[in-house]
C-alpha cells in the first residue's frame, strides 16, 4: 500500500496567510497583536524554540516580548509575572515556555495565566472549558492533530482513534477534541498492558509519548492512518518522532512526517490564537 505523507506545511502556510491579514488589520486599527513569552530555563532546545516562535511572530506582524526569569526562578516569581501580564493592557497573549526550573511544575503555576490570554490552553480553566465543550483556547498541538487530519480528509466521526500519551498538554486535550469530532477514543499510556493489541484496533493512531520508535509496523492495522506528534532528539542530534516510519510505511494509508507534520501546524495555530486573543481584547 502507498502511504501518503500527511504534510503540515501547506496547511500551516494557509493558516499563516490568514493570521498575517488579521494581524495587519489590527495594526491598521492602531495596535499590533502582542505576545509575551515567559521563559524560566537555560535549556538550548527551548532557546531554539523561543527563537523560532519570535521569528514566526515577526513574519506575521505580531509583537513578541520575551521575559527571561532565569533558570532558578521560584514558582512564586513565575506566578507573579504571569499574573502581571494578565492585567497588563499591553499584552494580548501569554505563553509559558517549558521546561520550568527544577522543582516547579506546570501545575504549580498555570492557574496564574488568565484564560483570555492563555493561547496554549494550559491553565486548569482552559482545560476545564475544553472538557466541558465550552469556548476557550485549546492546546495548539492537540488542535494541530485534528486540523491536520481534517485537512487531509481523514474522517473522524464514528472512527476509532487511539491516542498514545495522556499528558495535560497533548494526550488528554486531544482526546477531548476527538470526542467533539464524534470519534470513539481510546487513550494509552505507560501502564497500558499491551500497547500493540490496542493500537492495531485503531483506524487512526496518534503517537504522543516522546519515545523514539515506540509505534512500529506491528502497532498499525493495514490501511490505518498514523499521526506522529513526537519531537525527540536522536543520538545523532536529528529531530525524530515516536513512529518507526520505515516499518509503518507501506502498511499505513497515511503517516505524518517529523519534521514537517504536526509541528508547523502547531506554531501556526499558536500564532492564530494570539490574533484571536487580540481581536477579542479590542472588542471588549
Ligand atoms: P509527556 O512526557 O508529558 O507525556 C508522555 C506521555 O506518553 C505520558 O502520558 C506517558 O505515560 C506516555 N508514555 C511514555 N512512554 C510510554 C510507553 N512506552 N507506552 C505508552 N505510553 C507511554 O510528553 P508530552 O505530552 O509533553 O509530549 C509528547 C511528545 O510530543 C514529545 O515527544 C514532545 O516533544 C512532543 N510534542 C510535540 C509538539 C509539536 O508541536 N509537535 C508540541 C508538544 C509536544 P504516563 O502518563 O503513564 O507517564
Amino acid at each position: 500500500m502507498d502511504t501518503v505523507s500527511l504534510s503540515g506545511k501547506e496547511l500551516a502556510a494557509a493558516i499563516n496567510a490568514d493570521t498575517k491579514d488579521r494581524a495587519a488589520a489590527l495594526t491598521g486599527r492602531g495596535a499590533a497583536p502582542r505576545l509575551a513569552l515567559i521563559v524560566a530555563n537555560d535549556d538550548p532546545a527551548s532557546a531554539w524554540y523561543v527563537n523560532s516562535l519570535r521569528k514566526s511572530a515577526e513574519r506575521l506582524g505580531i509583537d513578541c516580548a520575551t521575559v527571561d526569569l532565569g533558570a532558578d526562578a521560584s514558582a512564586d516569581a513565575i506566578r507573579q509575572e504571569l499574573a502581571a501580564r494578565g492585567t497588563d493592557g499591553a499584552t494580548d497573549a501569554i505563553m509559558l515556555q517549558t521546561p520550568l526550573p527544577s522543582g516547579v511544575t506546570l501545575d504549580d503555576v498555570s492557574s496564574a495565566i488568565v484564560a483570555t490570554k492563555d493561547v496554549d490552553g494550559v491553565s486548569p480553566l482552559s482545560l476545564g472549558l475544553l472538557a466541558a465543550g465550552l469556548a476557550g483556547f485549546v492546546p495548539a498541538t492537540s488542535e494541530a492533530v485534528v486540523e491536520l487530519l481534517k485537512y487531509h480528509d481523514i474522517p473522524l466521526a464514528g472512527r476509532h482513534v487511539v491516542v498514545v500519551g495522556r499528558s495535560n498538554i497533548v494526550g488528554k486535550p486531544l482526546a477531548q477534541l476527538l470526542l467533539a469530532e464524534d470519534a470513539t477514543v481510546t487513550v494509552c499510556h505507560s501502564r497500558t498492558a499491551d500497547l500493540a493489541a490496542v493500537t492495531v484496533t485503531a483506524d487512526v493512531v496518534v503517537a504522543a509519548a516522546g519515545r523514539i520508535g515506540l509505534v512500529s509496523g506491528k502497532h498499525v492495522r493495514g490501511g490505518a492512518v498514523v499521526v506522529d506528534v513526537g519531537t525527540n532528539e536522536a543520538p545523532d542530534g536529528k529531530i525524530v518522532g515516536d513512529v518507526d516510519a520505515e516499518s509503518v510505511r507501506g502498511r499505513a494509508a497515511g503517516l505524518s512526517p517529523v519534521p514537517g507534520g504536526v509541528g508547523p501546524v502547531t506554531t501556526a495555530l499558536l500564532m492564530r490564537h494570539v490574533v484571536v486573543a487580540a481581536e477579542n481584547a479590542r472588542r471588549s
Side-chain angles (χ1 to χ4, degrees), residues 142-166:
S142 313
E143 189 182 8
V145 172
V146 173
E147 292 301 316
L148 188 67
L149 288 166
K150 285 185 179 173
Y151 178 77
H152 287 282
D153 294 324
I154 313 293
L156 290 170
R159 310 291 290 286
H160 183 207
V161 184
V162 173
V163 178
V164 185
R166 59 172 165 181

Side-chain angles (χ1 to χ4, degrees), residues 20-102:
K20 196 172 181 181
D21 286 350
R22 288 162 74 172
L26 286 163
T27 305
R29 293 209 300 273
R34 291 153 302 194
L35 167 67
L37 277 173
I38 315 298
V39 183
N41 66 62
D42 51 14
D43 181 68
S46 163
W48 182 88
Y49 184 58
V50 167
N51 195 32
S52 85
L53 283 178
R54 288 180 64 86
K55 283 192 195 149
S56 298
E58 206 173 294
R59 272 196 298 272
L60 298 173
I62 293 169
D63 279 355
C64 183
T66 307
V67 183
D68 191 349
L69 299 174
D72 55 0
S74 65
D76 274 351
I78 298 170
R79 289 184 64 86
Q80 270 170 28
E81 180 61 33
L82 294 170
R85 293 283 163 174
T87 52
D88 170 19
T91 301
D92 296 309
I94 301 168
M95 243 198 94
L96 176 62
Q97 186 58 31
T98 55
L100 294 168
S102 138

Side-chain angles (χ1 to χ4, degrees), residues 157-270:
R159 310 291 290 286
H160 183 207
V161 184
V162 173
V163 178
V164 185
R166 59 172 165 181
S167 72
N168 280 345
I169 59 159
V170 187
K172 278 188 208 161
L174 175 57
Q176 301 290 352
L177 289 173
L178 291 165
L179 286 174
E181 296 293 330
D182 297 322
T184 301
V185 183
T186 303
V187 180
C188 297
H189 45 79
S190 67
R191 305 292 297 272
T192 297
D194 185 348
L195 185 64
V198 182
T199 56
V200 286
T201 67
D203 299 304
V204 178
V205 179
V206 183
R211 298 283 182 274
I212 296 174
L214 177 66
V215 171
S216 64
K218 72 171 185 189
H219 294 83
V220 178
R221 181 178 58 74
V225 166
V226 182
V227 178
D228 193 350
V229 180
T231 40
N232 314 295
E233 194 175 339
D236 63 3
K238 282 195 187 139
I239 296 297
V240 297
D242 287 358
V243 176
D244 174 27
E246 211 159 296
S247 64
V248 166
R249 237 179 255 122
R251 216 177 146 61
L255 168 64
S256 71
V258 176
V262 174
V265 183
T266 299
T267 306
L269 287 171
L270 257 179

Side-chain angles (χ1 to χ4, degrees), residues 112-137:
I113 306 175
V114 63
T116 49
K117 300 185 183 184
D118 181 20
V119 285
D120 207 13
V122 295
S123 78
L125 181 52
S126 299
L127 292 169
L129 290 169
L130 171 60
L134 299 172
F137 287 115

